[in-house]
Amino acid sequence: MTDSASNTLPATIDTLISAGWIIPIRPAQTVLKNHSIAIHNGEIVAILPTEQALQRFDAQYGIDLPQHVLCPGLINAHGHAAMSLFRGMADDTPLQQWLEQHIWPAEGQWVDEEFVRDGTQLAVAEMLRSGTTTFSDMYFFPNVVAKVASDAGMRAQITFPVFNFPTIWGQDPDDYIRKGLAVRDDFKHSDLVNVVFGPHAPYTVSDEALQKVAMLAAELDINIHIHVHETQKEVDDEVAQLGQRPLARLNALGVLSPKTQLVHMTALNADDIELVKQSGAHVIHCPQSNMKLASGFCPVQTLQAEGINVALGTDGAASNNSLDMFAELQTAALLAKVATGDASALGDWQALEAATLNGAKAMSLEHKLGSLEVGKQADIIAIDFSQLEQQPIYQPVSQLVYTACAQHVTHSWINGQQVMADRQLAHLDIREIKAKAQQWRDKITSPKH
Ligand SMILES: [Zn+2]
């Protein structure tokens, strides 16, 4: 690959990153040794052996990382960033009880713009420091989430919620949609933020509202992101009430398309899988949250065998309880083996691809993100492989998937801009973020409330 050998390349470039290993994801299953990535105007303009790169380019900023591996920034395809402020508040309870007795009352009492800003900053800092460069978010005040992401230099798909009932952010489906599209408008020129539809789940949004979302999404060419088939109970309840499985209902209402992201997807039968396959919709697998809430598991192996794109997400920190995508992709690889009795299920390359390129495909950003290739945006992370936990190194990809890597992510670039150097974030103050998180904990646990 790599050297597009064009005479039009600038001799002077913005950034040259040289590393011991590069795992570009495309071409598949490739490890480049002692190569460099040349970046100009936010884009990757060449990937070539370091010796050649040093002769050919004059970089404004150059960095040599001989003990590091470079790979595409991880893509966390599902979460609720601000819920980081509820981390560890209610553990070890099943989904329905967790939502109804703990999370919804706490949200009703505490969530406002300030909560969302402070919680999202906490989440964004954690994600950047564990190797994520793009996240998808579904929460109240998506305008605030979009601003926090943008100010931190982080890439995000911000989904605005749609519910059938009033919450702090909207009154009814029309109100949510109107406000959400206004946020989309505010960020339409952003390089980093894409605002899309986030109808919460089939059981919280009416047929009429789902149809409206589907119609507007098709008309305006906008993604739809929705929780679906999170538990067997959700499926059973809907069959009992409406005589239809949730996926069949979404299909009948026109919600399933190649622009649709279906989050969780446990309790699937052959008809469900066929509907997803025919529609070209994407699946977002959140293994740690599903395991923690005992929700079940998504049959990744079967879905991939059918050619369905499966990306990964952490879900919110209230049900995970971390936003560490390296841990998530390791869990996905391990769970796939337990679920199938097949040790080759979701192998290391497939797991890493699920956390990078598959996330980009799900968000309709495959042309820009998910692999390190000439012409794509420079969203890159560097992981220090000189640490004890990674020794000895036979296959760098095995280290990325099966050893503890998140703490060893040292540098990251998004859109060619350096957002972390030696684990220091360029745009966020960790001390202040931690102090605010503790203030929220004090308020939430204060006996006055
Ligand atoms: Zn969720």
Side-chain angles (χ1 to χ4, degrees):
M1 87 182 252
T2 62
D3 186 350
S4 67
S6 150
N7 294 326
T8 59
L9 286 176
T12 302
I13 53 166
D14 294 337
T15 304
L16 187 71
I17 314 170
S18 306
W21 301 268
I22 298 177
I23 295 186
I25 300 294
R26 284 290 176 272
Q29 309 205 357
T30 300
V31 180
L32 305 169
K33 282 196 82 173
N34 300 318
H35 272 58
S36 299
I37 302 182
I39 300 168
H40 198 64
N41 291 331
E43 258 184 31
I44 296 172
V45 294
I47 302 178
L48 68 177
T50 298
E51 260 177 46
Q52 291 173 25
L54 294 174
Q55 286 173 2
R56 181 146 140 208
F57 296 114
D58 177 19
Q60 306 266 355
Y61 170 81
I63 184 167
D64 188 23
L65 301 167
Q67 303 289 328
H68 285 63
V69 60
L70 302 180
C71 73
L74 304 182
I75 297 182
N76 185 349
H78 179 71
H80 313 277
M83 291 182 81
S84 285
L85 288 175
F86 294 140
R87 181 185 351 243
M89 195 183 73
D91 291 325
D92 308 329
T93 50
L95 177 70
Q96 219 64 26
Q97 197 182 333
W98 176 78
L99 273 178
E100 289 169 8
Q101 293 176 19
H102 301 281
I103 296 303
W104 285 343
E107 285 184 336
Q109 189 168 3
W110 297 109
V111 173
D112 58 15
E113 289 198 34
E114 199 188 347
F115 177 97
V116 172
R117 190 192 62 227
D118 294 348
T120 304
Q121 281 187 345
L122 174 62
V124 162
E126 182 187 357
M127 286 192 276
L128 286 172
R129 278 167 47 100
S130 50
T132 294
T133 53
T134 299
F135 71 108
S136 178
D137 200 66
M138 180 196 277
Y139 213 58
F140 310 104
F141 302 104
N143 50 321
V144 176
V145 182
K147 179 153 192 331
V148 170
S150 183
D151 290 349
M154 194 165 187
R155 205 182 289 284
Q157 171 187 266
I158 308 294
T159 82
F160 58 83
V162 179
F163 291 98
N164 247 24
F165 43 82
T167 66
I168 182 146
W169 196 66
Q171 289 307 305
D172 54 43
D174 284 344
D175 191 36
Y176 290 109
I177 292 170
R178 185 179 54 75
K179 285 181 174 155
L181 290 176
V183 179
R184 182 176 168 83
D185 220 36
D186 289 344
F187 285 86
K188 71 180 170 204
H189 299 302
S190 169
D191 287 335
L192 296 174
V193 169
N194 183 27
V195 181
V196 311
F197 286 101
H200 172 260
Y203 59 92
T204 49
V205 190
S206 69
D207 282 5
E208 197 190 345
L210 285 168
Q211 244 163 348
K212 184 160 188 185
V213 167
M215 196 189 68
L216 285 168
E219 210 174 280
L220 303 168
D221 198 29
I222 303 178
N223 299 338
I224 301 175
H225 183 93
I226 183 168
H227 294 107
V228 59
H229 284 222
E230 185 165 358
T231 60
Q232 182 69 49
K233 184 180 182 309
E234 172 192 334
V235 179
D236 294 345
D237 286 355
E238 194 143 315
V239 170
Q241 286 163 24
L242 304 170
Q244 222 174 0
R245 295 171 70 81
L247 267 173
R249 180 169 150 242
L250 292 183
N251 184 54
L253 295 170
V255 175
L256 304 185
S257 86
K259 302 283 285 187
T260 310
Q261 303 155 22
L262 305 166
V263 182
H264 295 309
M265 297 286 278
T266 77
L268 300 178
N269 67 20
D271 292 343
D272 297 327
I273 293 171
E274 187 60 25
L275 282 179
V276 179
K277 183 182 170 182
Q278 292 305 330
S279 69
H282 308 267
V283 170
I284 315 295
H285 175 36
C286 303
Q288 292 201 354
S289 173
N290 293 158
M291 290 165 77
K292 185 156 188 282
L293 297 168
S295 295
F297 60 84
C298 170
V300 174
Q301 181 88 332
T302 312
L303 296 175
Q304 289 193 330
E306 293 292 335
I308 295 167
N309 180 45
V310 181
L312 295 178
T314 55
D315 212 348
S319 63
N320 184 302
N321 296 357
S322 89
L323 305 179
D324 173 351
M325 276 294 288
F326 276 112
E328 204 69 33
L329 69 92
Q330 184 182 119
T331 303
L334 299 179
L335 179 61
K337 298 167 201 332
V338 174
T340 55
D342 173 2
S344 70
L346 203 72
D348 45 15
W349 285 107
Q350 289 171 297
L352 189 59
E353 208 160 302
T356 52
L357 193 57
N358 295 2
K361 286 181 188 170
M363 295 183 195
S364 315
L365 292 172
E366 190 188 357
H367 59 292
K368 285 172 72 169
L369 303 181
S371 58
L372 303 179
E373 293 180 85
V374 171
K376 285 203 176 182
Q377 303 294 300
D379 286 18
I380 302 167
I381 56 173
I383 303 104
D384 182 0
F385 267 20
S386 68
Q387 302 296 320
L388 181 82
E389 293 85 353
Q390 276 73 43
Q391 306 312 314
I393 300 160
Y394 295 102
Q395 301 287 344
V397 68
S398 164
Q399 253 67 3
L400 285 182
V401 176
Y402 294 117
T403 70
C405 275
Q407 314 306 321
H408 304 315
V409 179
T410 56
H411 298 69
S412 64
W413 290 262
I414 298 174
N415 233 16
Q417 301 296 310
Q418 187 156 24
V419 293
M420 183 166 72
D422 293 317
R423 293 194 62 69
Q424 300 300 310
L425 298 175
H427 308 294
L428 290 166
D429 181 341
I430 299 236
R431 223 182 320 173
E432 190 185 312
I433 290 171
K434 288 201 293 190
K436 281 188 182 158
Q438 283 160 21
Q439 282 166 18
W440 278 106
R441 189 262 336 261
D442 291 347
K443 247 201 269 191
I444 290 169
T445 53
S446 151
K448 274 180 285 174
H449 294 284

